[in-house]
Amino acid sequence: MAVGKEIARKIHDLVDRDMTFMHICGTHEAAIARHGIRSVLPEQLKIVMGPGCPVCITPQGEIDAALELVDRDCIVATYGDLLRVPGSRGSLESSGGDVRVVQGVHKAVDIARSTEKEVVFVSVGFETTAPTVAATLLTRPPDNFSILSCHRLVPPAMKWLLEQGEASLHGFMLPGHVCTVTGYADYEQFPVPQVVAGFEPDDILLGLLMLVQQVREGAHRIDNAYPRAVCREGNRKAMDLMYQVFEPSDVEWRGFPVIPGSGLKLRPEFSMYDAQIKFGIEFKHVDKHTACICDKVLRGIAQPDDCKLFGKVCTPRTPVGPCMVSHEGACKIWHTYQLKKA
Ligand code: SF4
């Protein structure tokens, strides 16, 4: 941590104006909170969260689609974090159906091999998880298996955020996990300071220092503060697998409108594994009816304790919105570490 202290000192020396940086990764928020990183930064430097939690950005209409599959007597398998996310009429956990928590898509395929019932894997996640799902579908799972594809791609959401300009951002800390797979060439289209950062406290502080330096220089480039895991080209094999099975689609994100090319749908040659086609299910837009401000938190224009329900009506035991459910959700993280806005 001696290195971290030295980096923090340099950040203090260099920050000479207000600077706001956004990260797009729940794991970054968890690490920042766990290690108290905001407490060692100068007041003028703010870190805000973006749409970096894959469970949180899954809109209500997709949770409702998963609930519809339960009604169709399917076995619905997914990650534990998704279970308690509220849909329009309860959650998968409260549905009373055969809903199973699995560690990954391969476990859902194992379930399909052991039953004659239909098994649907609710497949959420960014470019980090989609290649694994693609590799599994290429092994041709049994006919009673399908996926509900709720995948999202990060760069189109960043483009949307920059076009709105509502969060007054000076730069982005790019998601280290996602960039391990995708590389960062695709982010070069964005004319703002960017840094790829890892997840140890020193990685995050170094990433922030590099962002501050770019702002001071009036530069915009992508610095790589995580070279032990990330290279510009990423993992081409994983990306090729992903695009062999999936193609980009226009989808809504929670808190965002439909963002062109920001989702992944199965290519026609894999349509037999597409639960939407198999069961004739559409993703429908659902208007928000609670005071939950997850939409604003996910766009970096509000922080969890701006929400009047935070820690009162909405707690990890009684979540009102997805950001209080997922381990990568900003509200759950802030509640766990008892954070408050500076
Ligand atoms: Fe939504 Fe709860 Fe977070 Fe408020 S505290 S924004 S209700 S998840």
Side-chain angles (χ1 to χ4, degrees), residues 259-273:
I259 303 177
S262 67
L264 287 174
K265 67 175 182 188
L266 288 169
R267 290 186 179 277
E269 52 272 40
F270 293 91
S271 59
M272 71 290 256
Y273 297 118

Side-chain angles (χ1 to χ4, degrees), residues 290-295 297 304 307-311 314-315 319-325 331:
T290 69
C292 173
I293 60 164
C294 273
D295 50 346
V297 173
C307 176
K308 58 187 180 197
L309 306 183
F310 179 75
C314 183
T315 69
V320 175
C323 299
M324 190 59 94
V325 177
C331 299

Side-chain angles (χ1 to χ4, degrees), residues 14-139:
L14 288 178
V15 170
D16 60 352
R17 66 200 87 166
D18 287 341
M19 299 185 194
T20 302
F21 301 125
M22 174 181 276
H23 68 69
I24 320 169
C25 181
T27 312
H28 271 147
E29 184 57 34
I32 288 165
R34 188 182 317 118
H35 297 291
I37 286 179
R38 285 189 179 87
S39 68
V40 302
L41 298 176
E43 258 181 41
Q44 286 175 294
L45 196 164
K46 300 269 183 292
I47 312 172
V48 298
M49 300 141 279
C53 160
V55 168
C56 307
I57 54 88
T58 303
Q60 203 159 323
E62 292 178 27
I63 303 295
D64 289 351
L67 289 166
E68 207 177 323
L69 291 165
V70 171
D71 292 346
R72 305 277 187 97
D73 207 26
C74 297
I75 296 174
V76 171
T78 192
Y79 304 110
D81 264 9
L82 205 70
L83 241 61
R84 297 175 69 211
V85 175
S88 302
R89 48 187 184 87
S91 63
L92 285 169
E93 185 181 56
S94 65
S95 67
D98 192 345
V99 178
R100 305 199 192 171
V101 174
V102 289
Q103 287 169 327
V105 62
H106 59 293
K107 292 288 182 190
V109 173
D110 287 348
I111 296 170
R113 289 208 172 95
S114 68
T115 179
E116 292 189 352
K117 285 184 77 172
E118 288 290 335
V119 176
V120 182
F121 178 64
V122 182
S123 200
V124 298
F126 297 117
E127 295 94 325
T128 31
T129 49
T132 314
V133 177
T136 301
L137 293 183
L138 283 165
T139 66

